[in-house]
Amino acid sequence: MVENLLTSSPGLVNFGIFFLLATVLLLVVLGFVTYGILAERKVMGYMQLRHGPNHVGGRWGLLQTVADVLKLLLKEDIIPKMADRLLFILAPVIAFAPSFMVLAAIPFTDKLQFADIGVGLLYYIAISGITTLGIVTGGWASNNKYALLGGMRAAAQMISYEIPLVMSVIGIILLTGSLNLNDIVDAQRNGWYILLQPIGFIVFLIASVAELNRTPFDLPEGESELVAGYHVEYSGFRWAFFMLAEYVYLFAMAALTTVLFLGGWLPPLSILDFIPGAVWFSLKFSVVIFILIWFRVTYPRFRADKLMEFGWKVLLPVALANVFLTALIKELFKLF
C-alpha cells in the first residue's frame, strides 16, 4: 500500500523529498549556530587580548557551545504564575520559525536553492518581519515591565530600521529590473553591486545590524537598564529558541548580503571560474560574518533616543538620496 502511494502520488513523494532536504538544511544551520557562536567568542577573545573558550573540547574549546546547549536543555522550564501561558509558550516559536523560512529563497549557488521565488527579495523582507511579533508577544506575555519595555523597543527599532533596509536595496532593483535573487546575482557578472551601490551597501549593513538586534543596536536586550529585555522571564530551551532565532538570522542576513552586494557565488575575476561557486560564496559569507562580529567588539551600545534619531534622520534620507542618484545615473546612461 505504501509503495502504491509513493508511485501514484507525486505530491507525497515531493513532500518527503522536501522534508528531507529541509531537515538537512536545519542541521547545517544548527551546525553553523553551534560553531558560529564559538567563532564569535574566540574572535572577541583575541580582539580583547584573551583566549575565549579553551577547556571543553580541547585547547580550541570545540565543544563549549555543545555543552552550553545541553545545559540549557536540562534547565528547568519556568513559566511565571501571572504570565499569559499560551502566548508565553508560542512566542519563541513565532520568533524562530520565520528565521528558518527565509532561508528557502536564498540561492547559495546556481544549483543549490530550495525555492526559486520570482520575488525572493520581497519574500525575505516580508517573512522576516514576522519575528517582531514573536518578540513583542514574548515581552507582553511575560507580565514583566522590563520584558514589555524590551518588546516595545524591539518593535520600534525593527520597524524603523526595516524602512531604510528596504530603501537601500531599491537601487539594486532599479539596476537589475527584478526581485529574483538569482537574477540579481547574474546581473553582477560585470561588476559587484558593492562597487556600483556603495551607499546602498553601507545603509544596508548598518540597518541589518539593527534588524539583528546586535551590538551596537542591542537596545531590546539592554542588560544595563532592562536586565535582559524581552526574554528576561524565559529560561531553558525557550530562551534558547530566541537565541537560535538571532543566530539563524545572522546566517540568513550574511547570506543575503553576499547575494545582493558581493556577487553571490560568482568569482571576482572570470579566470577564477575553475573554483567552485560554493567556495566563493562561503568565503564572502565568512567575511560578512567576521565584520558583524567585529562591530560587536568595537562599538558601544547606542542610547535609545539616538538610535531612533539615527534611523529616521540619517539612514532614511541617505537611502532615499541613493535611490534618486541611482535612477538619475541610470537615465543618463540611457541618454548617452
Side-chain angles (χ1 to χ4, degrees):
M1 183 176 178
V2 175
E3 289 180 1
N4 291 336
L5 280 173
L6 289 174
T7 53
S8 64
S9 176
L12 187 59
V13 174
N14 289 341
F15 173 79
I17 292 171
F18 280 110
F19 181 81
L20 181 62
L21 291 173
T23 304
V24 171
L25 178 61
L26 180 60
L27 292 175
V28 170
V29 171
L30 290 177
F32 164 81
V33 171
T34 301
Y35 287 99
I37 293 172
L38 176 65
E40 182 171 34
R41 294 172 71 180
K42 296 295 283 187
V43 170
M44 289 174 65
Y46 286 127
M47 287 185 172
Q48 295 167 352
L49 301 180
R50 54 187 178 82
H51 294 291
N54 63 348
H55 289 298
V56 184
R59 63 190 294 264
W60 292 99
L62 295 177
L63 297 178
Q64 181 63 61
T65 309
V66 176
D68 292 339
V69 171
L70 289 175
K71 180 195 75 171
L72 287 172
L73 294 177
L74 294 173
K75 286 183 74 172
E76 182 181 1
D77 177 34
I78 299 171
I79 299 178
K81 184 178 179 181
M82 300 302 291
D84 186 317
R85 187 179 181 87
L86 178 61
L87 292 179
F88 188 86
I89 292 170
L90 284 176
V93 180
I94 297 171
F96 167 73
S99 69
F100 187 62
M101 290 170 64
V102 297
L103 297 179
I106 295 177
F108 300 100
T109 69
D110 54 344
K111 295 186 174 93
L112 182 57
Q113 184 183 16
F114 284 83
D116 186 5
I117 302 173
V119 288
L121 182 55
L122 180 61
Y123 169 86
Y124 183 102
I125 293 166
I127 296 296
S128 62
I130 299 173
T131 294
T132 309
L133 298 176
I135 291 174
V136 174
T137 302
W140 184 84
S142 299
N143 195 34
N144 179 299
K145 61 183 179 182
Y146 297 112
L148 180 59
L149 283 171
M152 291 171 66
R153 277 188 178 184
Q157 175 177 320
M158 295 175 82
I159 291 170
S160 298
Y161 278 81
E162 194 165 351
I163 298 171
L165 183 79
V166 173
M167 298 297 292
S168 67
V169 299
I170 289 179
I172 291 176
I173 297 169
L174 286 172
L175 293 175
T176 309
S178 174
L179 286 164
N180 187 295
L181 294 174
N182 287 292
D183 293 344
I184 290 173
V185 173
D186 287 336
Q188 296 179 69
R189 292 188 181 278
N190 297 321
W192 295 354
Y193 283 146
I194 191 174
L195 301 175
L196 301 176
Q197 287 283 297
I199 299 172
F201 172 72
I202 293 170
V203 173
F204 182 87
L205 190 63
I206 296 171
S208 65
V209 174
E211 286 289 296
L212 292 169
N213 289 334
R214 288 177 61 83
T215 308
F217 303 116
D218 58 338
L219 273 296
E221 301 174 20
E223 295 88 352
S224 55
E225 64 262 20
L226 295 182
V227 190
Y230 60 91
H231 51 59
V232 65
E233 295 290 359
Y234 283 88
S235 61
F237 74 97
R238 297 191 201 283
W239 182 85
F241 255 76
F242 280 115
M243 291 298 99
L244 180 62
E246 179 180 328
Y247 280 92
V248 173
Y249 267 125
L250 178 65
F251 178 94
M253 193 61 80
L256 185 65
T257 305
T258 303
V259 167
L260 293 179
F261 293 98
L262 301 178
W265 58 86
L266 299 177
L269 299 171
S270 57
I271 59 172
L272 298 174
D273 276 338
F274 63 92
I275 300 176
V279 174
W280 287 117
F281 191 96
S282 300
L283 288 173
K284 298 170 189 177
F285 172 85
S286 301
V287 170
V288 176
I289 292 288
F290 177 78
I291 291 171
L292 293 174
I293 296 173
W294 193 1
F295 282 180
R296 180 175 179 181
V297 183
T298 307
Y299 296 110
R301 182 181 295 139
F302 267 54
R303 225 170 63 189
D305 59 328
K306 296 295 183 184
L307 174 111
M308 299 302 290
E309 282 185 15
F310 183 70
W312 288 105
K313 295 182 179 179
V314 178
L315 282 190
L316 183 57
V318 171
L320 284 169
N322 180 62
V323 173
F324 175 78
L325 188 62
T326 303
L328 182 64
I329 292 173
K330 185 177 180 182
E331 288 303 313
L332 287 175
F333 268 101
K334 281 183 180 179
L335 290 173
F336 297 102

